[in-house]
Amino acid sequence: MTLSHDAAGPEIRNRQGGRAARSDRGHVRSIRPAIATALGVVALLCGAGAASAQTATVTLSSQKQYIRGIGGMSHAAWAGDLTAAERTLAFGNGDGQLGFTALRIPVSDGSPDSANVATAKAAIAAGAIVFATPWNAVGTMSSSQFSSYASHLNNFVSYMKNQGVNLYAISVQNEPDYASTWLAWTPALCHDFILNYGAMITTKLISCESFNYSKSYYDPILNDSAALANVAVLGTHLYGTPVSSYPYPLFDQKGAGKERWMTEHYTDSTTDANSWPNALGVATELHHAMVDGQFSLYTWWYIVRSYGPISTNGKVSKRGWCMAQFSKFIRPGFYRVDATATPSSGVYLSAYKSSTDVVVVIVNTNSSSSSLNVSINGSTISSYDRFTTSASKSLASDGKVAASNGSLTISLDAQSVTTLHGTGSGSPGTGGSSGLGGATGSGGAATGGATGSGGATSTGGSSGTGGLTGSGGATGSGGSLGAGGDGTGGGALASGGAMGSGGSPTSDEHSSEGGCSCRVGGAGSRSTSLALLNVVALLALTSRRRGRRRS
């Protein structure tokens, strides 16, 4: 099978400091006034958030999904390779480091090459897993090409192994339902390849990765036990996917022993990653991915980018610190446990455990501080280390929070994400892994909460530069306007979220010259926000221009 790279190229390349950087285009100017007006109205109508103490319950004995990892993408051909310092920053878990435990790389279009080997080896050396996704091949996929395509995947697995990189898994195809300049597959072809050739792949197999979690790509696999036996992971992206579509009852029913992975997304590619409260949106999205989607793995798009967890100046961004509130403490080998997901309007809580550690992550999207009573059933841990990222803090160590009989009270900074980490007796033991192999780098979650080290608290945009949404909101709960490039994907019908938090299609892989991802809300009236967002969505969809690629 002849495989080739998209001749037109995936991006407009600009050389800056030796790095190939995409020219990330902005919003369509024609829809800005309408969106700004609607957002301003919603901002006036939304409340500031409750200041009185609310109550949340964590039940350690009610175990949910296994946590495989949190990480990001490196694509040397498209965005330049990570430097040695950036690799350490991304995958190390010391002070000032992100603690990522997963790396996604591309499968070479033709013959395997070494472009991503150095970063993959560094990730594995730090204890992360590495998985790979194919993009391009000539023509439209058909069953007659299955055998050569399986060989193509296996050749890449073998090549990387010979380079010292044991791939944890490999995907069938990147976004077959969004394909324009890369390979298109129908749901039937994805199913048939897995059914007839999945067992031949020499590492764990990930399904085709739908760009917007279209269940049509996964239902046929889940409903066919023979096909399901050949795949280890159902992988998806979340472009234009409302939070209401994150749950997957059919997977809950038939997916025992398998994992759900969120293998690619970004909350906003048009706003600098240090802009606050826009950056807080990734924390809210991580909450929904873990709680509503029950994903075992979450993967950001480019690790190093102006809107990424590491900025182009080589420093961890505000968005990166929000991710680190999860990734540094919730390590491979942890399980999510049942907890009160929304103890009050605009406040989101999730909880996790290992055999010795308990981690609670709380996102406060409201523009005022508040107090929260938390009851952690099944734990005798007497105190928890507290870490906070907010407008003025970057994974700052905020001391200890005392607990008595499993109960504690914590104050939440306005527009912040707070992590509580406790170690001690009384934490129920976790069960075995999900059946996909042992967890890489499992162990204690508390390998250093950096006291803001390495992060530029005030670099980038000033507070409020992320738009008028203020509260940060429920990232991913709406979806980017026009994320599918056909005017039908998603729509900004969101129940909260930072402006741009659905993954703007205006740049990088899902780009167009137009489009705007707009999510509003957080603390105020959800019904009011939804009604106004309908207006925003209509205005944007009628004004936007088509596009198929991130630029």
Side-chain angles (χ1 to χ4, degrees):
M1 181 179 186
T2 302
L3 298 152
S4 66
H5 184 70
D6 172 23
E11 64 177 330
I12 300 171
R13 291 182 174 85
N14 294 314
R15 290 287 175 181
Q16 296 177 349
R19 178 177 303 282
R22 296 190 186 209
S23 175
D24 299 322
R25 293 194 291 262
H27 300 296
V28 173
R29 291 180 173 83
S30 62
I31 64 172
R32 277 178 170 166
I35 291 174
T37 299
L39 292 178
V41 174
V42 174
L44 291 172
L45 293 176
C46 290
S52 60
Q54 303 294 324
T55 300
T57 299
V58 175
T59 305
L60 295 180
S61 60
S62 181
Q63 185 170 291
K64 303 300 181 181
Q65 81 271 22
Y66 177 84
I67 303 302
R68 185 66 59 187
I70 295 171
M73 175 89 187
S74 179
H75 197 312
W78 288 6
D81 198 9
L82 273 64
T83 66
E86 289 164 349
R87 295 166 192 152
T88 300
L89 199 60
F91 301 104
N93 201 26
D95 287 353
Q97 298 170 341
L98 286 169
F100 282 176
T101 51
L103 170 68
R104 182 181 184 229
I105 62 173
V107 174
S108 303
D109 294 344
S111 299
D113 61 55
S114 62
N116 298 286
V117 168
T119 293
K121 290 178 72 172
I124 289 175
I129 64 169
V130 178
F131 67 100
T133 299
W135 259 258
N136 292 303
V138 171
T140 301
M141 178 55 66
S142 68
S143 58
S144 65
Q145 298 169 291
F146 282 174
S147 178
S148 57
Y149 192 77
S151 296
H152 170 63
L153 297 183
N154 283 337
N155 287 342
F156 187 78
V157 173
S158 297
Y159 174 84
M160 294 300 288
K161 184 175 182 179
N162 290 336
Q163 299 299 310
V165 177
N166 287 317
L167 291 176
Y168 184 84
I170 196 166
S171 167
V172 176
Q173 175 62 39
N174 176 74
E175 299 183 352
D177 46 347
Y178 189 86
S180 174
T181 55
W182 59 83
L183 195 63
W185 298 58
T186 65
L189 284 170
C190 288
H191 164 269
D192 292 350
F193 179 83
I194 291 171
L195 174 64
N196 296 305
Y197 287 86
M200 300 180 187
I201 304 304
T202 54
T203 189
K204 296 177 181 68
L205 186 62
I206 306 169
S207 68
C208 289
E209 303 166 52
S210 166
F211 88 96
N212 67 347
Y213 209 2
S214 171
K215 305 303 192 297
S216 65
Y217 278 85
Y218 311 111
D219 286 354
I221 300 167
L222 290 168
N223 286 320
D224 183 343
S225 59
L228 186 60
N230 291 338
V231 69
V233 175
L234 297 190
T236 191
H237 304 172
L238 295 178
Y239 298 102
T241 309
V243 169
S244 60
S245 293
Y246 285 17
Y248 198 173
L250 185 63
F251 184 97
D252 297 337
Q253 177 187 352
K254 298 187 175 183
K258 311 298 177 180
E259 291 181 6
R260 279 168 279 195
W261 288 9
M262 202 299 289
T263 54
E264 182 194 312
H265 197 223
Y266 56 81
T267 55
D268 181 7
S269 66
T270 64
T271 305
D272 185 271
N274 286 300
S275 179
W276 199 266
N278 184 284
L280 183 63
V282 70
T284 321
E285 176 165 285
L286 266 162
H287 165 87
H288 287 300
M290 294 297 177
V291 174
D292 299 276
Q294 299 191 65
F295 292 112
S296 293
L297 179 142
Y298 178 98
T299 315
W300 182 265
W301 179 228
Y302 290 142
I303 293 173
V304 179
R305 211 65 173 163
S306 64
Y307 55 85
I310 298 177
S311 296
T312 52
N313 62 5
K315 295 182 178 180
V316 175
S317 67
K318 279 293 193 180
R319 192 167 279 143
W321 290 126
C322 286
M323 294 182 69
Q325 296 275 161
F326 293 80
S327 58
K328 287 184 69 67
F329 307 98
I330 307 162
R331 309 296 290 171
F334 272 65
Y335 284 80
R336 187 177 69 85
V337 296
D338 193 33
T340 305
T342 310
S344 63
S345 177
V347 175
Y348 304 94
L349 182 147
S350 59
Y352 311 82
K353 70 174 183 181
S354 69
S355 59
T356 58
D357 294 16
V358 173
V359 174
V360 179
V361 185
I362 309 163
V363 184
N364 178 21
T365 67
N366 297 311
S367 57
S368 62
S369 60
S370 62
S371 181
L372 183 66
N373 299 321
V374 183
S375 177
I376 304 175
N377 295 333
S379 176
T380 59
I381 295 173
S382 60
S383 68
Y384 292 78
D385 293 315
R386 169 182 171 167
F387 303 90
T388 306
T389 295
S390 65
S392 60
K393 300 175 181 178
S394 296
L395 199 71
S397 177
D398 277 345
K400 292 185 178 290
V401 178
S404 177
N405 297 319
S407 295
L408 57 89
T409 299
I410 183 170
S411 59
L412 305 174
D413 291 2
Q415 295 175 334
S416 67
V417 53
T418 299
T419 301
L420 300 175
H421 169 249
T423 301
S425 60
S427 301
T430 58
S433 89
S434 61
L436 297 183
T440 303
S442 61
T447 54
T451 310
S453 58
T457 302
S458 60
T459 59
S462 62
S463 178
T465 58
L468 294 174
T469 56
S471 63
T475 307
S477 59
S480 55
L481 298 179
D486 57 5
T488 61
L493 308 181
S495 55
M499 182 172 180
S501 62
S504 167
T506 61
S507 60
D508 279 340
E509 191 186 20
H510 296 284
S511 88
S512 68
E513 294 227 350
C516 176
S517 173
C518 302
R519 267 189 216 105
V520 188
S525 167
R526 185 154 295 186
S527 60
T528 302
S529 297
L530 287 172
L532 287 166
L533 280 164
N534 283 328
V535 177
V536 175
L538 179 60
L539 289 168
L541 287 173
T542 54
S543 301
R544 66 181 299 276
R545 284 181 265 176
R546 290 179 180 267
R548 301 300 297 178
R549 298 290 304 217
R550 295 194 181 105
S551 58

